[in-house]
Amino acid sequence: MIEIKNEIQNLRKELRRHNHNYYVLNKPGISDYDFDILLKKLQKLEEENPQFDDPNSPTKRVGDDRNIEFKQVKHKYPMLSLGNTYNIEELREFDARIKKLTDQKYKYVCELKYDGTAISLTYKNGKFVQ
């Protein structure tokens, strides 16, 4: 159990360092894929060993470099995301989840992702308002 606890602590420390490099320094040290692999490994260990729970674990927090003066607003429409997907089967699973949410026809729109940022803009009569 000591080895597992140490592995969990080491993964948390490593992931925090990578989050800091990515969100604060804007200098990622590893690829998103490699980060996701480490995060999934930590998630699995935490699920299997709940006695080592930590509410500040990188599995329960999101990196954040927003300015404290940034005004948050409620979105008109939810900003849903595909998340991290690495193969066609994960895309099919995503589509199956969406089908369960609605009985209406829908289509997908793919847009360029600015890594680390999500934004929803509102225009009225062709003018930016929010």
Side-chain angles (χ1 to χ4, degrees):
M1 286 308 253
I2 291 174
E3 288 178 22
I4 292 172
K5 182 178 181 181
N6 286 339
E7 185 175 8
I8 288 172
Q9 290 174 336
N10 288 335
L11 281 168
R12 286 175 179 159
K13 184 178 178 180
E14 182 178 0
L15 287 163
R16 284 187 189 108
R17 180 174 50 82
H18 288 304
N19 271 333
H20 179 78
N21 290 344
Y22 184 88
Y23 288 102
V24 178
L25 302 178
N26 196 26
K27 293 184 177 183
I30 61 174
S31 70
D32 289 352
Y33 177 80
D34 289 337
F35 182 90
D36 293 343
I37 296 300
L38 291 174
L39 190 63
K40 285 180 183 180
K41 182 177 182 180
L42 177 58
Q43 285 172 323
K44 185 175 188 291
L45 285 169
E46 288 177 341
E47 287 170 10
E48 293 171 350
N49 302 278
Q51 67 272 30
F52 301 127
D53 181 58
D54 180 354
N56 293 309
S57 172
T59 61
K60 298 177 181 159
R61 300 177 62 85
V62 176
D64 187 356
D65 64 346
R66 283 180 293 139
N67 183 308
I68 58 172
E69 297 173 8
F70 184 80
K71 180 183 171 193
Q72 293 189 26
V73 297
K74 183 175 174 81
H75 293 279
K76 184 175 180 180
Y77 304 103
M79 291 180 65
L80 303 176
S81 176
L82 177 59
N84 297 322
T85 304
Y86 299 108
N87 59 54
I88 192 69
E89 186 54 38
E90 290 174 342
L91 286 171
R92 287 186 181 114
E93 290 169 4
F94 175 79
D95 184 60
R97 289 192 305 271
I98 297 301
K99 283 180 182 171
K100 290 179 184 177
L101 295 175
T102 184
D103 57 355
Q104 298 178 7
K105 283 190 166 193
Y106 61 92
K107 64 181 178 177
Y108 292 105
V109 176
C110 297
E111 299 173 336
L112 180 63
K113 179 184 180 225
Y114 293 94
D115 208 14
T117 302
I119 188 169
S120 175
L121 304 175
T122 303
Y123 291 84
K124 289 186 181 175
N125 298 322
K127 296 191 179 200
F128 172 73
V129 294
Q130 181 174 306

